[in-house]
Amino acid sequence: MQSEYQASHIEQVPVTMGGFGVNAYIIHASGGDIIVDAGAEPEKILAAVKEPVAAILITHGHADHISALEDIRGATQAPVHMHPDDAEPAGIKDYEPFQDGQDLVIAGEMIHVIHTPGHCPGSVTLVVGHDQIVGDLIMPGSVGRTDIGGAKWEDLEVSIRKVMPLWTESTRLYAGHGDVMHAFSEMKTNPYLPPVIPDPPEKV
């Protein structure tokens, strides 16, 4: 996934929806900016943009992640990428569908897409270099809720096990809510993460 593509700077843009904090992100790539999630305060998200916006990526379809989407799309004229399992129920039209395992090159940046349901059916994790934009899959000291419609703990655990093998000592996790996390710190302290199963010893 790395190849010749280098990880870009990911800027956290905290916004507020009805008194509830949620994060948008700007990937400042070599060929432009990429907006990830657009939950509220579109003017604040757009103020963080430094270069023309090449795309808008949505981690999942809950209202606190898409309520400002049409304002952002209208201002930037950028294409929207989203998983159909969330886009269709949310009524999002004219979008590019994410596929599990997909590698996208946008604005000179390689972005690897992992379908990570559990919090909601169409959640995705976006791998940028060694870092991951995880939406509401993992939170600081916690994980996404599974007591809401479309959520399922068993699916969430499977999804977490899909992203954890990609973590390195430098991996940062950019969540939909809260501070940016250090992956290995969460692995040690987050009680909701499954235990890491070591690789079996090589046969001699």
Side-chain angles (χ1 to χ4, degrees):
M1 286 182 293
Q2 284 289 113
S3 65
E4 71 271 26
Y5 300 98
Q6 300 299 316
S8 301
H9 171 61
I10 302 174
E11 179 179 354
Q12 184 183 41
V13 184
V15 297
T16 303
M17 180 179 179
F20 186 59
V22 60
N23 294 322
Y25 293 100
I26 311 291
I27 304 172
H28 298 294
S30 61
D33 284 350
I34 303 164
I35 295 174
V36 181
D37 288 349
E41 297 187 88
E43 68 286 347
K44 186 174 182 180
I45 296 172
L46 292 169
V49 169
K50 296 181 172 63
E51 301 292 339
V53 176
I56 304 163
L57 313 182
I58 301 297
T59 63
H60 63 291
H62 286 165
D64 55 338
H65 292 261
I66 63 169
S67 290
L69 174 57
E70 295 308 325
D71 288 337
I72 296 290
R73 178 165 27 194
T76 63
Q77 298 299 303
V80 173
H81 297 252
M82 190 172 177
H83 196 282
D85 286 353
D86 272 17
E88 301 300 332
I92 304 299
K93 307 296 184 184
D94 301 322
Y95 69 96
E96 298 294 329
F98 280 138
Q99 299 176 23
D100 186 36
Q102 181 180 23
D103 287 324
L104 294 172
V105 180
I106 302 174
E109 180 62 59
M110 174 75 83
I111 299 172
H112 182 65
V113 179
I114 304 174
H115 183 210
T116 49
H119 178 63
C120 58
S123 294
V124 298
T125 290
L126 305 172
V127 182
V128 184
H130 290 296
D131 296 331
Q132 296 179 357
I133 303 176
V134 296
D136 288 0
L137 178 67
I138 301 169
M139 310 284 192
S142 187
V143 293
R145 291 178 60 183
T146 57
D147 60 343
I148 53 178
K152 187 177 180 182
W153 168 255
E154 291 81 4
D155 291 342
L156 190 81
E157 185 174 8
V158 169
S159 293
I160 293 171
R161 291 185 184 277
K162 288 171 68 175
V163 303
M164 287 180 70
L166 302 179
W167 293 356
T168 71
E169 290 185 359
S170 65
T171 296
R172 291 160 295 182
L173 305 176
Y174 295 83
H177 307 274
D179 296 334
V180 178
M181 297 167 281
H182 189 277
F184 273 26
S185 294
E186 287 299 309
M187 191 184 298
K188 296 174 182 176
T189 62
N190 189 327
Y192 295 94
L193 297 186
V196 177
I197 301 174
D199 294 329
E202 294 184 6
K203 294 182 180 180
V204 293

